[in-house]
Amino acid sequence: MSSHLQQTTSEESPLGIRVNTQAVLKRAQQIQGRKVAKKQWQAAWLLKAVTCIDLTTLAGDDTPSNVHRLCMKATQPIRHDLLKSMDMHDKGITTAAVCVYPSRVADAVKSLKAANSSLPVASVATGFPAGQTPLKTRLEEVQMAVEDGATEIDIVINRTLALTGQWRALYDEIRQFREACGDAHMKTILAVGELGTFTNVYKASLVSMMAGSDFIKTSTGKESVNATYPVAIVMVRAIRDYCLRTGYKVGFKPAGGIRTAQESLVWLTLMKEELGDEWLSPHLFRLGASSLLADIERQIYHYVTGRYPAYHELPMA
């Protein structure tokens, strides 16, 4: 066990765990206090962040046209002339995926196919964001998204089961989602803002990984509290502990409220320090965001030209 986690029952029971809150908060402060890279090194880190973004639209007014625009932005996230002046125009920089509601998956797949892009389409499912629909409906939603061409599914857990300590029932539900996903990657959203305690976050992380999650994700982005650094510390420590016990590497996805280039650098720092360089690539790290890319592109523009762009100078996401 890492020093931030204390066993309160026997070694055999990974759910007999208590999280040391003060140590977690102190570690989160340390990471936020790190000096970030400047100039060309910062630009390189920001391009790395772009390749880890799940470019997302989850709005009630999503239409085929704004999903199409999102897909085009995902395939060319930074203006070509800016990349060219950095000698990065031929490196195939795209976002990691696009993320949409199940009913918009077919639109996204069609747009990307027309653009001759192999970018993955992710879909939220299982009664997103609350997860308060019948299990049968939630499973059907996963199956329909996969049938429409989604290769990644972001499921939400049933928070009621976590809050009432029904960990076996939660495990069984997530196993069923895993089977419904088939070959699609499964990212499990814990909705940390609604789990109450760090200890519940740690337990939910472990149960989700045991049930076959490829990624664990902080939030839907619809809760009042979303991706925070202390919660991330707890989740990535769970990933590390699970990897040490099983040898299986699970990815991490913070989501909700991540809007600035500066924040994306802190998230990359956190991953590098806590889990190592292997978790600095899209197969083990994603940033769930809708407005983050615009700020990163502004910072890249500033790096290349020495001034900030007017809003009309950059393509919309």
Side-chain angles (χ1 to χ4, degrees), residues 90-293:
D90 55 354
K91 301 293 189 288
I93 288 177
T94 66
T95 67
V98 294
C99 183
V100 294
Y101 272 120
S103 55
R104 301 269 72 90
V105 168
D107 297 334
V109 169
K110 183 181 170 189
S111 291
L112 290 167
K113 195 172 180 185
N116 204 19
S117 169
S118 58
L119 206 65
V121 174
S123 172
V124 296
T126 69
F128 179 95
Q132 294 279 15
T133 51
L135 180 59
K136 182 171 180 283
T137 314
R138 285 181 281 153
L139 288 165
E140 283 170 355
E141 202 177 21
V142 174
Q143 287 156 354
M144 285 163 67
V146 171
E147 281 165 18
D148 280 349
T151 53
E152 302 181 359
I153 303 291
D154 289 29
I155 67 155
V156 290
I157 67 165
N158 182 337
R159 274 81 99 191
T160 307
L161 296 178
L163 290 167
T164 53
Q166 298 178 68
W167 301 108
R168 164 60 67 179
L170 180 61
Y171 172 86
D172 291 340
E173 269 200 7
I174 299 172
R175 284 286 328 153
Q176 290 182 66
F177 297 147
R178 170 74 269 172
E179 283 167 30
C181 284
D183 292 333
H185 273 218
M186 185 173 82
K187 306 192 205 95
T188 300
I189 306 170
L190 305 185
V192 291
E194 296 175 352
L195 289 181
T197 66
F198 285 150
T199 300
N200 276 348
V201 169
Y202 184 85
K203 290 176 178 179
S205 299
L206 271 191
V207 169
S208 300
M209 291 186 284
M210 289 173 188
S213 306
D214 296 295
F215 272 72
I216 52 175
K217 175 177 169 182
T218 59
S219 322
T220 63
K222 310 290 186 187
E223 296 95 44
S224 55
V225 177
N226 295 292
T228 66
Y229 302 118
V231 155
I233 296 288
V234 174
M235 291 175 70
V236 298
R237 290 292 171 102
I239 288 171
R240 187 201 293 180
D241 291 343
Y242 187 72
C243 185
L244 288 171
R245 284 171 184 246
T246 66
Y248 190 73
K249 291 171 182 152
V250 176
F252 176 66
K253 178 178 173 179
I258 304 171
R259 295 190 177 90
T260 67
Q262 179 74 19
E263 286 172 90
S264 72
L265 296 174
V266 178
W267 283 109
L268 286 169
T269 302
L270 189 151
M271 297 311 290
K272 184 178 172 65
E273 291 202 8
E274 287 289 322
L275 291 171
D277 289 353
E278 204 174 343
W279 268 265
L280 288 178
S281 66
H283 77 283
L284 285 172
F285 178 62
R286 300 289 178 86
L287 286 158
S290 45
S291 55
L292 169 64
L293 180 57

Side-chain angles (χ1 to χ4, degrees), residues 36-110:
V36 295
K38 299 289 185 215
K39 300 182 179 170
Q40 69 264 42
W41 293 281
Q42 184 179 88
W45 277 92
L46 290 176
L47 289 181
K48 165 66 76 177
V50 168
T51 66
C52 295
I53 291 175
D54 279 356
L55 195 59
T56 302
T57 182
L58 296 169
D61 57 359
D62 283 342
T63 60
S65 58
N66 79 313
V67 168
H68 176 73
R69 192 176 71 213
L70 184 90
C71 292
M72 294 306 95
K73 184 68 177 172
T75 58
Q76 178 69 66
I78 305 291
R79 245 174 50 179
H80 188 264
D81 58 315
L82 298 177
L83 289 177
K84 192 150 194 201
S85 60
M86 298 166 73
D87 199 25
M88 293 295 288
H89 58 289
D90 55 354
K91 301 293 189 288
I93 288 177
T94 66
T95 67
V98 294
C99 183
V100 294
Y101 272 120
S103 55
R104 301 269 72 90
V105 168
D107 297 334
V109 169
K110 183 181 170 189

